[in-house]
Amino acid sequence: MALLWSKISSALPPNEEEFPLHFSDKVDLSVLEMMKQSRRQLYSNTDGTSRIINAQIILDFAWEKLNTGTWRHVDKEWRCVYSYGCLFKVAALCRQELSKGEIMEAVRTCDMGLLMGAAIMDNILQVIVQILQKEVRELEEDECEPVEFKRIKIENPRVPAIREELAVPRIKCPSLESFNMNYLLPLRPVILEGIIDHWPALNKHPWSLEYLRSVAGCRTVPVEVGSRYTDEDWSQTLLTVDQFIDRFILNKDGAKDKGYLAQHQLFDQIPELKEDICLPDYCCLGEDEEDDITINAWFGPGGTVSPLHQDPQQNFLAQVVGSKYIRLYSPEDTDKLYPHQSQLLHNTSQVEVENPDRERFPEFFTAPYLECILRPGDVLFIPVRCWHYVRSLELSFSVSFWWS
């Protein structure tokens, strides 16, 4: 493991003086002193246990700050403190002889920094986690244990019949001018065909379970547990991609709940997967710079549901694996869709779209809509504030691009 530490240390600044720790008085002086002590230990021969204890103290203190009040009110400096704590802990772990389980702990620690912290030192946690992930892959190759992957059985998915007069229109590879004039400016939904056929995710590196395991299996991601986020028993948890696939896709432990890796910026966390997709050319018609476009992953089994809701940005929803039933309502009919009154869910309808309560929501039945089945290779343009309901018909992986 000396070689592993050599690789990681080469990613760090060469000495303590060049290791940045710049914080305002928003960060407690005692925490800053602890970080300085961890920095000194990083470049000395301090006992490994002491390094880990100090890093954990920093993490525990920052964790309390991250979980006080609402997330949007958490000061970015405390997110940076958390990332430094993760960096110090990973460095402490990797200075000693590591088992595979301890390397996995180091990977998880990096992921926690990437998920909960803020980028520090030119996103050094991303650099280190790629070094660690390569180490995990080499160990797994040495173990040479063949893994059997069974084809997922889809038991009679409910595929609604789409009436022609209600179908979202389809168009193949429109020009930028045509898309802008006929769909973007008038805010009309449309399915674009043929615009992502060149994606490696659809040909060179098809996103099978095997491939996703090989690229991201050891990485920790947030998972929604429950059929839909409006349910009372809905919750979130953190799992590795391997654990998510075993529990909620292959259902190895007989889990009754649905699990959904939803609205997660997976491609920022795992750049190797980002190489398998591309921004749709039509995003250039917006005002955003490329780095400002939000790319989210939506991965889960059949039966996962995104309740009827609206978003404040334009959306391209690209289907890579499996199929989804989608229904769209105009923002002009918002009053007929009965949005929740609470500020938290004001962008979400109270109506269960495929099983609506006529007594509670009579006007819903008068609201016109469009619908479609989105299949691999299809890209649905969902205009800003257009209400949309989504149900996975089978194992599904979609990628959304939110842009202004």
Side-chain angles (χ1 to χ4, degrees), residues 32-48:
L32 184 57
E33 287 302 318
M34 184 63 70
M35 286 193 288
K36 289 179 178 178
Q37 183 176 339
S38 289
R39 179 174 63 180
R40 283 194 296 273
Q41 292 175 334
L42 190 60
Y43 295 96
S44 67
N45 293 319
T46 309
D47 173 65

Side-chain angles (χ1 to χ4, degrees), residues 7-67:
K7 292 176 183 176
I8 290 174
S9 62
S10 67
L12 296 168
N15 53 57
E16 184 180 342
E17 289 70 27
E18 295 182 50
F19 189 106
L21 279 178
H22 305 305
F23 290 93
S24 70
D25 56 8
K26 293 177 182 177
V27 174
D28 300 44
L29 186 59
S30 60
V31 176
L32 184 57
E33 287 302 318
M34 184 63 70
M35 286 193 288
K36 289 179 178 178
Q37 183 176 339
S38 289
R39 179 174 63 180
R40 283 194 296 273
Q41 292 175 334
L42 190 60
Y43 295 96
S44 67
N45 293 319
T46 309
D47 173 65
T49 302
S50 176
R51 290 194 192 99
I52 291 176
I53 290 173
N54 284 358
Q56 194 61 51
I57 291 171
I58 296 167
L59 285 171
D60 290 345
F61 204 103
W63 185 257
E64 287 297 319
K65 295 291 185 179
L66 297 186
N67 288 277

